[in-house]
Amino acid sequence: MLDTTTYILLGIFDATTAVLLILKLYMLPVKEYRFRIISFAILIALFSFMMRMVLNAPKFDLPSQYILFVFFLRFGMQIKTHIASFIAGAGLCAYAIIQMTIFYVYDWMDLIHVGILRENNGLYLYFFQISCIAITLFLSILLSKFNFGFSFIIKPPHDFFSKENYLTRRNVMLLLGSIASLLTISVTVFLLYSSNPLGLLIIAAISFIISFYFSGRSDKDDIRKAIEAYSAKNKVG
């Protein structure tokens, strides 16, 4: 019973942390959606418990969670689907990088071993999870405090009835980033259960770098458009 309660509680904090990291990376609002975020985190924790502990199907947990994250961003925060899938993938890859970095620090200190990545409970796993949650929350606070992150995404809710050209350079980049993230999360399952944390770190880093590059390009495009619009306005004046 204690293991079940601990698993679910840590799962709630873990999911909340992942959502916060996603939103802070893209400078999206949190306070207005706090109750939805908490409700979603509870849902994710219960879902993960069911997949891992009840159905004994842990390999389907991570890919399914990615889909649920996209659904939450789409329906819970009303962010357009292609954008939701992109930022969910980027945020989850960033979280994976943080987790694997902490793992290697603890492994170097001989505090944990590689087998912990396949475990569902245990004192050392809880210690690892709490460390990941705390450090990621701290990084999210830093992003907010110093106003770091990407700003090209319009504050939700988005207008779903407006016409959208999905063949623009930005939308194509978002689609490619989403595909890279989805492939990464799918491969992550194999790497976790083959005890290959280095491979997981590398593929998550590559995927995040792709998302980071596309996000930076989108931000620069917005700045350029704003300057051009301002210049055109002055010329007319």
Side-chain angles (χ1 to χ4, degrees):
M1 183 64 183
L2 181 60
D3 279 343
T4 298
T5 303
T6 304
Y7 183 97
I8 293 174
L9 283 175
L10 285 177
I12 293 171
F13 281 106
D14 185 70
T16 302
T17 300
V19 173
L20 291 179
L21 180 61
I22 291 168
L23 298 181
K24 291 304 178 183
L25 271 173
Y26 290 91
M27 303 177 75
L28 294 171
V30 171
K31 187 176 181 181
E32 300 95 308
Y33 298 93
R34 60 189 182 277
F35 296 116
R36 296 184 188 183
I37 292 171
I38 294 171
S39 299
F40 171 71
I42 294 171
L43 172 66
I44 282 286
L46 293 174
F47 174 83
S48 181
F49 177 79
M50 181 186 70
M51 294 297 290
R52 290 177 179 270
M53 302 297 199
V54 179
L55 300 179
N56 195 28
K59 293 182 180 180
F60 295 99
D61 185 29
L62 286 176
S64 300
Q65 282 195 39
Y66 169 71
I67 294 171
L68 291 175
F69 269 87
V70 174
F71 277 14
F72 168 71
L73 294 169
R74 169 60 180 84
F75 297 103
M77 295 190 64
Q78 294 181 292
I79 297 173
K80 290 186 176 181
T81 306
H82 65 296
I83 298 175
S85 61
F86 176 79
I87 65 174
L92 292 176
C93 285
Y95 197 19
I97 293 170
I98 295 169
Q99 290 173 321
M100 290 302 98
T101 302
I102 294 171
F103 166 79
Y104 272 110
V105 171
Y106 285 165
D107 181 58
W108 175 73
M109 297 170 66
D110 202 26
L111 293 176
I112 59 176
H113 56 85
V114 69
I116 199 173
L117 299 177
R118 299 192 305 270
E119 295 176 3
N120 293 321
N121 52 47
L123 184 61
Y124 289 105
L125 177 63
Y126 298 151
F127 170 69
F128 173 65
Q129 285 181 300
I130 291 170
S131 299
C132 294
I133 291 168
I135 291 174
T136 305
L137 281 175
F138 176 70
L139 292 174
S140 297
I141 292 171
L142 289 180
L143 286 172
S144 179
K145 182 176 179 60
F146 294 102
N147 207 30
F148 290 151
F150 301 104
S151 59
F152 68 92
I153 298 174
I154 300 172
K155 182 180 177 180
H158 290 173
D159 182 6
F160 291 95
F161 297 101
S162 62
K163 292 183 179 180
E164 181 84 28
N165 180 6
Y166 291 98
L167 296 179
T168 63
R169 183 174 64 178
R170 172 180 295 179
N171 283 335
V172 170
M173 287 192 299
L174 294 178
L175 177 61
L176 291 174
S178 300
I179 293 172
S181 298
L182 180 59
L183 291 174
T184 298
I185 291 166
S186 300
V187 173
T188 292
V189 177
F190 170 77
L191 295 174
L192 277 176
Y193 288 90
S194 62
S195 299
N196 189 351
L198 179 60
L200 198 160
L201 177 60
I202 292 171
I203 193 171
I206 291 172
S207 181
F208 180 70
I209 288 170
I210 292 172
S211 298
F212 189 91
Y213 173 75
F214 289 160
S215 298
R217 286 289 298 272
S218 296
D219 264 5
K220 288 180 180 178
D221 282 347
D222 276 356
I223 293 171
R224 177 179 54 80
K225 289 176 182 177
I227 293 173
E228 289 175 351
Y230 179 77
S231 300
K233 183 178 179 181
N234 285 344
K235 287 179 181 178
V236 172

